[in-house]
Amino acid sequence: MPRRNLLKALPLTAAGLVLAASGTSAEQRPVEAGRILVAYYSRTGNTAVIARQIRRATDATLFEIKTETPYPEDYQATVDQARRETQSQYLPPLGHFVADIGRYDTVYLGMPIWGMTAPPVIRSFLRAHDLSGKVVIPFITHGGYGLGNSIDVLRAHMPDATLRPAFSMEADQERRTLDRVSGWLAEN
C-alpha cells in the first residue's frame, strides 16, 4: 500500500496509531487518552494535516512548534536560512513551550525534512523539552528525498526516550511546484 494511503487505511484509534508506528500489539502497549501530545512544525501545512488527524484519532493535546521569529515566506529564503542554521548548528529561539511536558507519556513529533535533515526548529524543541522516558513517534513529510539523517538527529537529541519507527510520506513539494511554474513562465 502506498505510504500516502496508510493513514486512511488505519483504524483511527490511539491503539491503531501506536500499532502502526511501533509494530506493538494493543495488549502490549495501551495508550492512555489525555497523556498524548502531538507536537509538530509545519511550514506549508503538509505536516499540520497529519498532526490534526493524529490529534483527532488519539484525543491528544495539539502543540504547534513555532520559532520566535517566523521563517521567511519565500521558499528559497527559507532554504538558505535553514542551510546556514544547520551548518552553524544554530538553534532558533522558540516562540512558546509545552507548559507541562511531564504529564505526557507519548509524543507524536511531526516535522518536514529540510536539506536531508531535521529542521533547526525541531532541534530547538528537543533541546528545550526533556523527553526522557517518553515514547516518541515521529511523523515526517518530505519532498521525495526520504528521511536523510533525521532519525539520527532525533536519537542524538533524546537519548533517553523510546523512539518508535517513523511514519513518513512524500508531500506536495514546494520546490517542484516552483520549478514547474518557472518552466511554464519561461515558455510564455
Side-chain angles (χ1 to χ4, degrees):
M1 171 181 306
R3 287 181 184 223
R4 66 178 50 110
N5 293 329
L6 179 60
L7 281 179
K8 291 179 187 174
L10 287 175
L12 294 181
T13 65
L17 283 167
V18 171
L19 288 169
S22 69
T24 304
S25 74
E27 294 76 33
Q28 294 173 319
R29 181 73 174 98
V31 174
E32 183 182 332
R35 307 270 315 181
I36 303 168
L37 175 69
V38 178
Y40 72 96
Y41 176 77
S42 185
R43 182 177 172 276
T44 63
N46 292 323
T47 307
V49 169
I50 299 168
R52 288 189 296 268
Q53 184 171 357
I54 294 169
R55 195 223 54 83
R56 280 190 306 272
T58 62
D59 193 29
T61 301
L62 189 66
F63 180 84
E64 182 176 4
I65 301 168
K66 295 182 179 182
T67 53
E68 193 173 84
T69 303
Y71 282 95
E73 284 192 36
D74 180 75
Y75 172 77
Q76 193 57 50
T78 297
V79 168
D80 294 342
Q81 181 177 332
R83 183 179 301 119
R84 287 190 307 273
E85 289 176 354
T86 299
Q87 289 172 347
S88 68
Q89 298 181 5
Y90 175 76
L91 299 176
L94 297 175
H96 58 283
F97 303 87
V98 177
D100 185 10
I101 195 74
R103 71 171 274 210
Y104 301 103
D105 298 321
T106 302
V107 177
Y108 286 88
L109 181 61
M111 65 181 165
I113 295 296
W114 285 4
M116 299 301 294
T117 192
V121 63
I122 293 297
R123 297 167 199 241
S124 293
F125 177 82
L126 294 173
R127 176 74 53 90
H129 297 88
D130 183 7
L131 301 183
S132 298
K134 300 187 184 317
V135 173
V136 178
I137 307 168
F139 58 99
I140 302 171
T141 57
H142 60 84
Y145 300 104
L147 301 181
N149 74 345
S150 62
I151 301 303
D152 292 335
V153 167
L154 295 179
R155 277 193 191 102
H157 281 79
M158 47 183 204
D160 297 323
T162 301
L163 185 62
R164 297 287 190 210
F167 170 80
S168 69
M169 65 178 279
E170 181 176 351
D172 294 336
Q173 192 196 51
E174 198 168 357
R175 174 173 289 176
R176 187 179 308 139
T177 301
L178 292 173
D179 289 346
R180 289 187 68 191
V181 171
S182 293
W184 171 75
L185 288 171
E187 292 173 3
N188 293 297

Short mmCIF file of all heavy atoms in Angstrom, two decimals, residues 81-105:
data_model
loop_
_atom_site.label_atom_id
_atom_site.label_comp_id
_atom_site.label_asym_id
_atom_site.label_seq_id
_atom_site.Cartn_x
_atom_site.Cartn_y
_atom_site.Cartn_z
N GLN A 81 18.26 30.12 4.72
CA GLN A 81 18.36 30.33 6.17
C GLN A 81 18.54 29.00 6.90
O GLN A 81 19.38 28.88 7.79
CB GLN A 81 17.13 31.07 6.69
CG GLN A 81 17.18 31.33 8.19
CD GLN A 81 15.99 32.12 8.69
OE1 GLN A 81 15.39 32.90 7.95
NE2 GLN A 81 15.65 31.94 9.96
N ALA A 82 17.75 28.01 6.52
CA ALA A 82 17.85 26.69 7.17
C ALA A 82 19.23 26.08 6.94
O ALA A 82 19.81 25.47 7.85
CB ALA A 82 16.76 25.77 6.66
N ARG A 83 19.77 26.24 5.75
CA ARG A 83 21.12 25.72 5.45
C ARG A 83 22.16 26.39 6.36
O ARG A 83 23.00 25.71 6.96
CB ARG A 83 21.47 25.94 3.99
CG ARG A 83 22.83 25.36 3.60
CD ARG A 83 23.18 25.56 2.13
NE ARG A 83 22.17 24.95 1.27
CZ ARG A 83 21.43 25.62 0.38
NH1 ARG A 83 21.59 26.92 0.21
NH2 ARG A 83 20.52 25.00 -0.35
N ARG A 84 22.08 27.71 6.49
CA ARG A 84 23.03 28.44 7.35
C ARG A 84 22.87 27.98 8.81
O ARG A 84 23.87 27.75 9.50
CB ARG A 84 22.80 29.94 7.26
CG ARG A 84 23.28 30.57 5.96
CD ARG A 84 23.24 32.09 6.02
NE ARG A 84 21.96 32.65 6.43
CZ ARG A 84 20.94 32.92 5.60
NH1 ARG A 84 21.06 32.69 4.31
NH2 ARG A 84 19.80 33.43 6.07
N GLU A 85 21.63 27.85 9.27
CA GLU A 85 21.40 27.44 10.65
C GLU A 85 21.92 26.04 10.91
O GLU A 85 22.54 25.78 11.95
CB GLU A 85 19.90 27.51 10.97
CG GLU A 85 19.36 28.91 11.07
CD GLU A 85 17.86 28.97 11.29
OE1 GLU A 85 17.18 27.91 11.26
OE2 GLU A 85 17.35 30.09 11.50
N THR A 86 21.69 25.13 9.98
CA THR A 86 22.15 23.75 10.15
C THR A 86 23.67 23.70 10.16
O THR A 86 24.27 23.04 11.02
CB THR A 86 21.56 22.86 9.05
OG1 THR A 86 20.13 22.89 9.15
CG2 THR A 86 22.04 21.42 9.18
N GLN A 87 24.30 24.38 9.22
CA GLN A 87 25.77 24.36 9.13
C GLN A 87 26.42 24.96 10.38
O GLN A 87 27.45 24.47 10.84
CB GLN A 87 26.24 25.09 7.88
CG GLN A 87 25.94 24.32 6.62
CD GLN A 87 26.25 25.11 5.35
OE1 GLN A 87 26.45 26.31 5.36
NE2 GLN A 87 26.25 24.40 4.22
N SER A 88 25.82 26.00 10.92
CA SER A 88 26.40 26.66 12.10
C SER A 88 25.90 26.07 13.42
O SER A 88 26.30 26.51 14.49
CB SER A 88 26.11 28.15 12.07
OG SER A 88 24.72 28.39 12.26
N GLN A 89 25.00 25.09 13.33
CA GLN A 89 24.36 24.46 14.48
C GLN A 89 23.58 25.47 15.33
O GLN A 89 23.45 25.33 16.54
CB GLN A 89 25.38 23.71 15.32
CG GLN A 89 26.04 22.58 14.56
CD GLN A 89 27.04 21.81 15.39
OE1 GLN A 89 27.21 22.03 16.58
NE2 GLN A 89 27.72 20.89 14.74
N TYR A 90 23.04 26.48 14.66
CA TYR A 90 22.23 27.49 15.33
C TYR A 90 20.87 26.91 15.67
O TYR A 90 20.26 26.20 14.87
CB TYR A 90 22.06 28.70 14.40
CG TYR A 90 21.13 29.76 14.94
CD1 TYR A 90 21.55 30.62 15.95
CD2 TYR A 90 19.84 29.89 14.45
CE1 TYR A 90 20.70 31.60 16.45
CE2 TYR A 90 18.98 30.88 14.94
CZ TYR A 90 19.42 31.72 15.94
OH TYR A 90 18.57 32.68 16.43
N LEU A 91 20.40 27.21 16.86
CA LEU A 91 19.08 26.76 17.29
C LEU A 91 18.19 27.99 17.43
O LEU A 91 18.38 28.79 18.35
CB LEU A 91 19.17 26.01 18.62
CG LEU A 91 20.02 24.75 18.60
CD1 LEU A 91 20.12 24.15 20.01
CD2 LEU A 91 19.47 23.74 17.63
N PRO A 92 17.24 28.16 16.52
CA PRO A 92 16.39 29.35 16.60
C PRO A 92 15.54 29.33 17.87
O PRO A 92 15.04 28.29 18.28
CB PRO A 92 15.51 29.23 15.34
CG PRO A 92 15.54 27.80 14.97
CD PRO A 92 16.86 27.26 15.43
N PRO A 93 15.41 30.50 18.51
CA PRO A 93 14.58 30.56 19.72
C PRO A 93 13.12 30.20 19.40
O PRO A 93 12.59 30.58 18.36
CB PRO A 93 14.68 32.02 20.16
CG PRO A 93 15.87 32.57 19.45
CD PRO A 93 16.02 31.78 18.20
N LEU A 94 12.51 29.49 20.33
CA LEU A 94 11.11 29.10 20.16
C LEU A 94 10.19 30.23 20.60
O LEU A 94 10.52 31.00 21.50
CB LEU A 94 10.82 27.85 20.98
CG LEU A 94 11.59 26.59 20.60
CD1 LEU A 94 11.29 25.46 21.58
CD2 LEU A 94 11.28 26.16 19.19
N GLY A 95 9.02 30.27 19.98
CA GLY A 95 8.02 31.27 20.32
C GLY A 95 7.27 30.93 21.59
O GLY A 95 6.77 31.82 22.28
N HIS A 96 7.15 29.64 21.92
CA HIS A 96 6.48 29.20 23.13
C HIS A 96 6.89 27.75 23.41
O HIS A 96 7.55 27.12 22.59
CB HIS A 96 4.95 29.34 23.02
CG HIS A 96 4.36 28.59 21.86
ND1 HIS A 96 4.42 29.03 20.56
CD2 HIS A 96 3.69 27.42 21.82
CE1 HIS A 96 3.83 28.15 19.77
NE2 HIS A 96 3.37 27.18 20.50
N PHE A 97 6.51 27.27 24.59
CA PHE A 97 6.95 25.96 25.04
C PHE A 97 5.76 25.15 25.55
O PHE A 97 4.74 25.71 25.94
CB PHE A 97 7.98 26.10 26.18
CG PHE A 97 9.16 26.93 25.78
CD1 PHE A 97 9.13 28.31 25.92
CD2 PHE A 97 10.28 26.35 25.23
CE1 PHE A 97 10.21 29.10 25.53
CE2 PHE A 97 11.36 27.11 24.83
CZ PHE A 97 11.32 28.50 24.97
N VAL A 98 5.90 23.83 25.59
CA VAL A 98 4.87 22.97 26.18
C VAL A 98 4.91 23.24 27.69
O VAL A 98 5.96 23.10 28.32
CB VAL A 98 5.14 21.48 25.88
CG1 VAL A 98 4.10 20.61 26.58
CG2 VAL A 98 5.14 21.23 24.38
N ALA A 99 3.79 23.64 28.24
CA ALA A 99 3.72 24.08 29.64
C ALA A 99 4.11 22.98 30.62
O ALA A 99 4.84 23.22 31.57
CB ALA A 99 2.32 24.60 29.96
N ASP A 100 3.64 21.77 30.42
CA ASP A 100 3.91 20.68 31.37
C ASP A 100 4.23 19.41 30.60
O ASP A 100 3.41 18.50 30.52
CB ASP A 100 2.69 20.49 32.28
CG ASP A 100 2.94 19.45 33.37
OD1 ASP A 100 4.11 19.02 33.54
OD2 ASP A 100 1.97 19.06 34.04
N ILE A 101 5.41 19.36 30.03
CA ILE A 101 5.80 18.21 29.21
C ILE A 101 5.78 16.91 30.03
O ILE A 101 5.56 15.83 29.49
CB ILE A 101 7.19 18.44 28.56
CG1 ILE A 101 7.45 17.45 27.43
CG2 ILE A 101 8.30 18.42 29.58
CD1 ILE A 101 6.69 17.69 26.18
N GLY A 102 5.96 17.02 31.34
CA GLY A 102 5.99 15.84 32.20
C GLY A 102 4.69 15.06 32.25
O GLY A 102 4.69 13.88 32.58
N ARG A 103 3.57 15.69 31.93
CA ARG A 103 2.29 14.98 32.03
C ARG A 103 2.04 14.03 30.87
O ARG A 103 1.12 13.24 30.90
CB ARG A 103 1.13 15.96 32.16
CG ARG A 103 0.83 16.74 30.88
CD ARG A 103 -0.44 17.50 31.03
NE ARG A 103 -1.50 16.58 30.67
CZ ARG A 103 -2.64 16.92 30.13
NH1 ARG A 103 -2.92 18.15 29.93
NH2 ARG A 103 -3.53 16.02 29.79
N TYR A 104 2.87 14.10 29.82
CA TYR A 104 2.67 13.26 28.63
C TYR A 104 3.58 12.04 28.65
O TYR A 104 4.75 12.14 29.00
CB TYR A 104 2.92 14.08 27.36
CG TYR A 104 2.00 15.27 27.27
CD1 TYR A 104 2.46 16.55 27.56
CD2 TYR A 104 0.66 15.12 26.92
CE1 TYR A 104 1.61 17.64 27.50
CE2 TYR A 104 -0.19 16.21 26.86
CZ TYR A 104 0.29 17.47 27.16
OH TYR A 104 -0.55 18.54 27.11
N ASP A 105 3.00 10.91 28.29
CA ASP A 105 3.76 9.66 28.18
C ASP A 105 4.21 9.41 26.75
O ASP A 105 5.25 8.80 26.52
CB ASP A 105 2.89 8.46 28.61
CG ASP A 105 2.45 8.55 30.05
OD1 ASP A 105 3.25 8.99 30.90
OD2 ASP A 105 1.30 8.20 30.32
#
